[in-house]
Structure formats: C-alpha cells, structure tokens
Amino acid sequence: MSMATGALLPSKPLTPSVNHRRLFPGRPTITISGPPTTTSLSLPLRSSPDYWASANADIQAHLERAIQIRHPLAVSEPMRHLTFSAPETTAPALCLLACELVGGSRDQAVAAGSALRLVHAAASAHEGLLSSRPRTDGPNFGPNIELLTGDGLTPFGFELLARSEPDHSNPTTRAESSSRVLRAIIEIARASGSHGMVEARYNEIEMIDGSGGDDEEWVERVCKKKEGEIHACAGACGAILGGGGEEEIERLRRYGVYVGMIRGIVAAKRVGRGGRRWLERKVGELRELGLNELKGFNREKVEPIASLMLTSEHDRRLRMTD
Amino acid sequence: MSMATGALLPSKPLTPSVNHRRLFPGRPTITISGPPTTTSLSLPLRSSPDYWASANADIQAHLERAIQIRHPLAVSEPMRHLTFSAPETTAPALCLLACELVGGSRDQAVAAGSALRLVHAAASAHEGLLSSRPRTDGPNFGPNIELLTGDGLTPFGFELLARSEPDHSNPTTRAESSSRVLRAIIEIARASGSHGMVEARYNEIEMIDGSGGDDEEWVERVCKKKEGEIHACAGACGAILGGGGEEEIERLRRYGVYVGMIRGIVAAKRVGRGGRRWLERKVGELRELGLNELKGFNREKVEPIASLMLTSEHDRRLRMTD
C-alpha cells in the first residue's frame, strides 16, 4: 500500500503501555494441568476445538465475501488485514453455537458473528494505538491508518448485520425476523460501546496507571467487562436470532459472561498475588457457573457450546507460559 | 473528571497537521456578497435558519434524554461534551426536513438525525487526534479519552436508531417500519464507514501530504466525500423513514450531496487558485443543481429544506473571513 498517509504520523504510540499481557509484570505464570474438570452437570468438558474452528470458518467465509478490495487500496487493504489478523476471540463462534442450541440454524447468526468479529477487530486496532509495543504480527500501517481503519470496521459490522434481514413474504414472519435483527444490533452496540468494551479498556488503563488492583478486582473490572460483555452479547444474540425464549436468551447471556471471563483470565497468561491456586480455583468456579446455565438445554446439543470453556487451544496457550 | 487516564497519553498529537481550515494556507479568503441566488426554479433562497434551529432543537432534546450521566463519569462526561461541542453540521436537520418533505412526521426521523449527529461527533473527536491544534473550545480530555469516547459514540448512534422501531400491532405495518429502520442503519453505516467519511478523511490527509491538489480535486475528493456523503445519507434516510418513494429517496440523496458540498466549501473558508470568482461560480452551480432535485416536490413544502443551501449562519461565517 501507499504509505504516504501512514508516514504522516510518527510511529510513536499514544501511550507508554497498555498491554494486557503485561498487566502483572514480574509475577509468576502458571500451567493448568491434570484432567479437565468434571462439573455437577456431569458433563465431560472435552477439548473440542472442532466446533469453534467450524463456526469460525463460516464467519471467515462470510467476511471474505463481504470485504471487497476496492479503491482506494490504502483503505481496503488495512481493513482486510486488521480484520483477519486481530487476536482470536471465541465470541463470534459462541454466537453461532448459541443460535444452534436454541434450535436455530447457523446461517441465521453468521452476520451477527461477523459483526462481533469486526467490532472486536476495531477495538484491537485502536488498542494498538494505546500500546508501546509496535505490532509484530504483520504490516505496521502506522497509527493514522489504524485509527481510520478501526473507525471503518465498526459501522461495517452494523451494515452487515442490518443487511442480513431475511426476505420473508409473510409479514408476521418478516416483522419478527426484522425485530430480532434490530435487537441484535442493540446488543452489539451496547457491548461494543461506551459502557461495554470501551469502559473495559478505560478500566484496564486506569488499573495499570493506578495500583494495578488485586486479582479479583482485575477479573471484575477488566475480564468481566472486556471479554465477559462481548461473549455475553454473543450468547444473547445467538439465542435471539435463533428464536430462543427470554429465559434461554438470559441463560446464554450469563453463560457468555463466564466463558468470556475464563478466556480473559487465560489470555492474560499471568496470575496475580493469589498465584496458581487462586487461578485454578477461579477458572473452576467460572466453569461450574457456566455449566449451570446450560442445564436447562437439551443435553445432547450442549457439548459444542460447552467446549468453549476448555479447548486444546487454551491448553496449548497455558503450556506455552511454562 | 479524573484525568488519571488522560494523563497516560502525552498531549502531543498524532500528526503534524490535518486541519481543513488550513487546507490552502496563505491563499486569499473571500466573502460572498449581494442578493441570494435566484434559480431556475424561481424559488427565493431565503436565509431561514429557523427551520434548521428547530430541527436541531428536537435532535438536541432527543440526545439529552438519551445520554445519561452514569458511572464512570470519566466515560460519560466526555461522551456528553464531545457530542454537544462537535462542529455544527446541517446533516441531522436535513434528515428531519427530508422526512417531512415526503409526508412523514419529524419524530419518525429524530433517532436517525441523532445517530447522524453522533457519528459526526465521533469523527470530529478522532479528527482532533490527527490535528496539531489542541482543542480550544472546551475541556481537553487528552487523546486517550478522545479515542475511547469516539469509539463509544458510533455504536451509540446505531443503538438509538435500532431502538426507534415503532411498536405497531399490525404485522404488515411493523415489518415495513422495521425494514425502513434497517435500511437507515445501512445508509448511516455506509456514509460513516470506510468508503464514506473515513475515506474522505484519508483523502484529506493525502492531499495535504501531497501537492494539495487543485480546487476542483479538493471539492470532489474531500467536500463531496466528507460533507457530501453524510448529507446525501441524511436526505435519503429522512425520505426512507418518512415513507418516500424510490425516486424521492434518490432525489433527496442527490440534493444532500449538493448541500453538503456547499457546506464543505463554505466551512473551509478558503479559496484555492480559482479565487473568489471560482468559489462563487461553484457554489452557484451547486445551488442550481440542488434546487433542480427539489423540483418534483410540493413547492409549498420545499422552503424549509431549500433554506439549508443558504442560511444567515453561512452568511455570518463568510463575513467573518473578511
């Protein structure tokens, strides 16, 4: 791409350091070992990345079709790159699996899953502007382009979702279907907005700037807000779009909070003062709470979504911290 | 507010200068004097800021109710400030007036008008990050908070619009109404997205970084993309939400482009190589084209929307450049 614009800005970042991987520098890292937890639901939590990979592949294909390379390339190209190179998140896959769990078909949720991936990519692009570590996982477009690209990804997510309204000839079905799409837009707007992911990023910065906080405070103010809210939104959106009832929607929203918190804790790769014992206990508690929310659903269909709480990807990452 | 977070970032801006008021530094400024243009429609273009003021007051009231001050104040307070202190734009008012022109009632378009104001405020907040001039029109929150606040304003706009779906008991009416809201979301997402306002900001930076371009190029690549697209979107959204036909929607979209381009040219307060004669001719041409698009509508009802092409506010601004 032409770097004329990128060159306008110095590569110097906006802030000395906002890097969640270094929230607790110098503290020990841990590995969760031993057999996967078995919960009161007696559901074996198997490492099943296949469900996640398959849902993600559907979202990837949807986005590949949607993001067209067009002039100016300096706008299109970073958009594509920053979408597909953003840090992994299970929220989009959770959206599709929640839709299937309540009896919907995956394609009803694929636009919402794509929108979740886009708002997450937008936040990641802008998070880079708050970090002292230059991006190492691909081209560095410079803060100017990363700012503008992030600004473009969020509306694009809402556009994809709004376009996904199915074309029903029956007015009652059409009205119901449009209402679900509008409700999903509200959910994603709230989760990605000033009292969702934006507030989480604010809390994260404030904690780093302050004392750092203790483990519990970090989990509540950062993990719950950041990964928790976007996963909660994903669970609720999937259930809404799949035609789930209100109780199912709220159960999958709460389930999403627990999945997100586990993901947030594991992704940070660091443990606070409580050490390994605290982290194992915390993740165990969250899994228990999460599985509890899945109790009301058909047990045969629960495995894919439950697998998001423990995957080989997680195990691999945890082992890497040794 | 707590400036703990703002303090994380140096007040140094991201780029040396991206300030559209200085696109053509050192070139002469002009004043448009004489009687307002009379067009082939024989419509007197009267200075009528009342319509604009009244539509803006409705949007302001809607936003005042919607933006609640809640914890954390460091997130809510800048959100409120950056929304209400953003540079003026006639796009939200155009949305309401277009809705009325096609026979709708103003309240059908007030959420869309508010969303337009929010995406415009988000772009303005982030534009400050690309400017060498520190904000002088109120508290300076620092780039960290301005980045995060801008990130929160865009989803909030889509949330407000998605929430505006009226509650009809008749499924056909409800389906129609939801479809209009979804269509308006698509319009605003496109206008504020990577090939709308984002591309305009990219073009602006590129032109400053390059040769500066000539007057015509600047009007096409910056004014048409930046103010033109958001006003085009406003005209189309108003017509969609007011139940206008496809031809009315497209006429008001094109009308919006001309209004936006005029606003963009006047707001920049500078003339390029063509000097005063070029600018007067250009604005005259755009007014002519704009009024031409209004020909198909009820002449009695055209005055409010036509007044957006020439208001006392514009006259005042132009005189200030003497």
Side-chain angles (χ1 to χ4, degrees), chain A residues 151-152 155, chain B residues 119 154 158 187-194 196-198 201 230:
Chain A
D151 283 355
Chain B
V119 297
T154 298
F158 291 108
E187 292 281 348
I188 296 179
R190 290 185 71 89
S192 61
S194 57
M197 284 158 66
V198 168
R201 284 150 72 200
I230 192 88

Side-chain angles (χ1 to χ4, degrees), chain A residues 34-65:
Chain A
T37 310
T38 306
T39 76
S40 57
L41 187 65
S42 303
L43 184 86
L45 262 180
R46 286 188 297 189
S47 254
S48 309
D50 290 353
Y51 303 117
W52 180 19
S54 139
N56 269 358
D58 287 354
I59 292 162
Q60 178 91 9
H62 192 79
L63 284 169
E64 292 272 7
R65 281 193 300 273

Side-chain angles (χ1 to χ4, degrees), chain B:
Chain B
M1 64 168 281
S2 154
M3 290 310 295
T5 303
L8 264 179
L9 297 180
S11 58
K12 196 176 166 202
L14 275 165
T15 189
S17 174
V18 184
N19 190 326
H20 66 81
R21 292 186 185 174
R22 293 194 171 171
L23 261 179
F24 298 102
R27 294 181 189 173
T29 63
I30 68 111
T31 304
I32 295 176
S33 55
T37 310
T38 305
T39 77
S40 55
L41 189 64
S42 304
L43 183 87
L45 261 180
R46 286 186 298 190
S47 252
S48 308
D50 291 354
Y51 303 117
W52 180 18
S54 141
N56 269 356
D58 287 355
I59 291 161
Q60 177 92 8
H62 191 79
L63 283 170
E64 292 272 6
R65 282 192 300 274
I67 302 181
Q68 291 159 5
I69 291 295
R70 49 173 278 195
H71 184 78
L73 288 183
V75 172
S76 294
E77 218 271 312
M79 191 173 161
R80 213 180 150 77
H81 176 79
L82 292 172
T83 300
F84 295 123
S85 72
E88 282 171 338
T89 168
T90 37
L94 172 58
C95 182
L96 271 59
L97 298 176
C99 180
E100 288 180 322
L101 184 62
V102 300
S105 70
R106 191 176 281 198
D107 61 314
Q108 290 174 285
V110 77
S114 301
L116 285 162
R117 184 142 167 199
L118 288 164
V119 297
H120 178 259
S124 303
H126 284 184
E127 209 156 311
L129 298 173
L130 302 169
S131 167
S132 64
R133 293 210 315 189
R135 191 181 294 279
T136 55
D137 57 352
N140 187 331
F141 296 105
N144 211 346
I145 288 289
E146 284 170 17
L147 176 70
L148 290 174
T149 307
D151 283 354
L153 291 174
T154 298
F156 186 53
F158 291 108
E159 182 187 342
L160 277 189
L161 188 46
R163 278 190 192 286
S164 72
E165 182 201 16
D167 189 18
H168 295 293
S169 54
N170 178 320
T172 308
T173 318
R174 190 154 69 91
E176 181 56 36
S177 155
S178 303
S179 288
R180 288 182 194 166
V181 173
L182 285 167
R183 201 170 158 189
I185 290 172
I186 295 167
E187 292 281 348
I188 296 179
R190 290 185 71 89
S192 61
S194 57
H195 294 291
M197 284 158 66
V198 168
E199 187 177 328
R201 284 150 72 200
Y202 171 80
N203 290 345
E204 194 171 30
I205 296 168
E206 204 184 43
M207 284 186 74
I208 294 168
D209 196 41
S211 63
D214 67 13
D215 302 336
E216 291 291 346
E217 194 185 349
W218 169 62
V219 167
E220 284 296 316
R221 295 192 60 209
V222 179
C223 295
K224 191 173 178 181
K225 266 277 163 203
K226 195 173 187 180
E227 290 88 355
E229 290 226 0
I230 192 88
H231 281 82
C233 165
C237 280
I240 289 164
L241 293 163
E246 291 307 316
E247 197 192 327
E248 289 175 313
I249 293 167
E250 294 314 313
R251 275 188 172 268
L252 286 166
R253 185 193 304 282
R254 290 192 296 269
Y255 176 70
V257 175
Y258 303 127
V259 174
M261 287 170 84
I262 294 170
R263 293 276 163 180
I265 291 171
V266 174
K269 291 186 192 169
R270 301 276 167 184
V271 212
R273 296 181 186 94
R276 175 185 171 145
R277 187 167 300 174
W278 171 82
L279 190 136
E280 282 186 330
R281 183 175 52 76
K282 192 77 200 169
V283 170
E285 279 171 15
L286 292 167
R287 279 196 194 121
E288 198 82 22
L289 290 163
L291 287 177
N292 206 39
E293 298 297 343
L294 298 180
K295 271 185 184 168
F297 294 97
N298 181 332
R299 284 199 50 188
E300 301 297 310
K301 293 167 77 179
V302 154
E303 193 186 332
I305 200 162
S307 76
L308 293 179
M309 289 201 291
L310 185 69
T311 72
S312 60
E313 173 62 14
H314 265 180
D315 293 338
R316 187 183 63 74
R317 287 202 175 187
L318 284 165
R319 284 194 196 100
M320 279 169 64
T321 64
D322 272 338

Side-chain angles (χ1 to χ4, degrees), chain A residues 51-110:
Chain A
Y51 303 117
W52 180 19
S54 139
N56 269 358
D58 287 354
I59 292 162
Q60 178 91 9
H62 192 79
L63 284 169
E64 292 272 7
R65 281 193 300 273
I67 302 181
Q68 291 159 3
I69 291 294
R70 50 173 277 196
H71 184 79
L73 288 184
V75 172
S76 294
E77 217 270 311
M79 191 172 162
R80 213 180 150 78
H81 176 80
L82 292 171
T83 300
F84 296 125
S85 72
E88 280 171 339
T89 167
T90 37
L94 172 58
C95 182
L96 271 58
L97 298 176
C99 180
E100 287 179 323
L101 185 61
V102 301
S105 70
R106 192 177 280 197
D107 61 314
Q108 289 174 286
V110 77

Side-chain angles (χ1 to χ4, degrees), chain A:
Chain A
M1 64 170 283
S2 152
M3 291 310 295
T5 303
L8 262 178
L9 296 178
S11 59
K12 198 178 163 200
L14 275 164
T15 187
S17 176
V18 183
N19 189 326
H20 65 80
R21 292 186 185 174
R22 292 194 170 172
L23 261 178
F24 299 101
R27 292 179 189 175
T29 63
I30 66 114
T31 303
I32 295 176
S33 56
T37 310
T38 306
T39 76
S40 57
L41 187 65
S42 303
L43 184 86
L45 262 180
R46 286 188 297 189
S47 254
S48 309
D50 290 353
Y51 303 117
W52 180 19
S54 139
N56 269 358
D58 287 354
I59 292 162
Q60 178 91 9
H62 192 79
L63 284 169
E64 292 272 7
R65 281 193 300 273
I67 302 181
Q68 291 159 3
I69 291 294
R70 50 173 277 196
H71 184 79
L73 288 184
V75 172
S76 294
E77 217 270 311
M79 191 172 162
R80 213 180 150 78
H81 176 80
L82 292 171
T83 300
F84 296 125
S85 72
E88 280 171 339
T89 167
T90 37
L94 172 58
C95 182
L96 271 58
L97 298 176
C99 180
E100 287 179 323
L101 185 61
V102 301
S105 70
R106 192 177 280 197
D107 61 314
Q108 289 174 286
V110 77
S114 302
L116 284 163
R117 183 139 168 202
L118 288 164
V119 297
H120 178 259
S124 303
H126 284 184
E127 210 156 310
L129 298 173
L130 303 168
S131 166
S132 63
R133 293 211 313 189
R135 189 181 297 276
T136 55
D137 55 353
N140 188 332
F141 295 105
N144 211 345
I145 288 290
E146 284 171 16
L147 176 70
L148 290 174
T149 306
D151 283 355
L153 290 175
T154 298
F156 186 53
F158 291 108
E159 182 186 342
L160 277 190
L161 189 46
R163 279 191 191 284
S164 72
E165 181 200 17
D167 190 17
H168 295 293
S169 54
N170 178 320
T172 307
T173 317
R174 192 155 68 92
E176 180 57 35
S177 155
S178 303
S179 288
R180 288 181 194 166
V181 173
L182 285 167
R183 202 169 157 189
I185 290 172
I186 295 167
E187 291 281 349
I188 296 179
R190 290 184 70 89
S192 60
S194 58
H195 294 292
M197 283 157 66
V198 168
E199 188 176 327
R201 284 151 71 200
Y202 172 80
N203 289 345
E204 193 171 32
I205 296 167
E206 203 183 43
M207 283 186 74
I208 293 167
D209 197 43
S211 63
D214 67 15
D215 302 335
E216 291 291 346
E217 193 184 349
W218 170 61
V219 168
E220 284 297 315
R221 295 191 61 210
V222 179
C223 295
K224 191 174 178 180
K225 266 276 161 204
K226 195 173 185 178
E227 291 89 352
E229 290 226 0
I230 193 85
H231 281 81
C233 166
C237 280
I240 290 164
L241 293 163
E246 290 307 316
E247 197 192 327
E248 290 176 311
I249 293 166
E250 293 315 312
R251 274 187 174 269
L252 286 167
R253 185 194 303 284
R254 289 193 296 270
Y255 176 70
V257 175
Y258 302 128
V259 173
M261 287 169 82
I262 294 170
R263 292 276 163 180
I265 291 170
V266 173
K269 291 187 192 169
R270 300 279 166 181
V271 214
R273 295 180 187 93
R276 174 184 171 146
R277 187 167 300 176
W278 171 83
L279 189 137
E280 282 187 330
R281 183 175 52 76
K282 192 75 200 171
V283 170
E285 278 172 16
L286 292 167
R287 280 198 191 119
E288 197 83 22
L289 288 164
L291 287 178
N292 207 37
E293 297 297 342
L294 298 180
K295 272 185 185 168
F297 294 96
N298 182 332
R299 284 198 53 188
E300 301 298 310
K301 294 168 74 179
V302 153
E303 193 186 333
I305 200 163
S307 76
L308 293 180
M309 289 202 290
L310 185 69
T311 72
S312 59
E313 174 61 13
H314 264 180
D315 292 338
R316 190 182 62 75
R317 287 203 174 187
L318 284 164
R319 285 193 196 104
M320 280 168 66
T321 63
D322 273 336

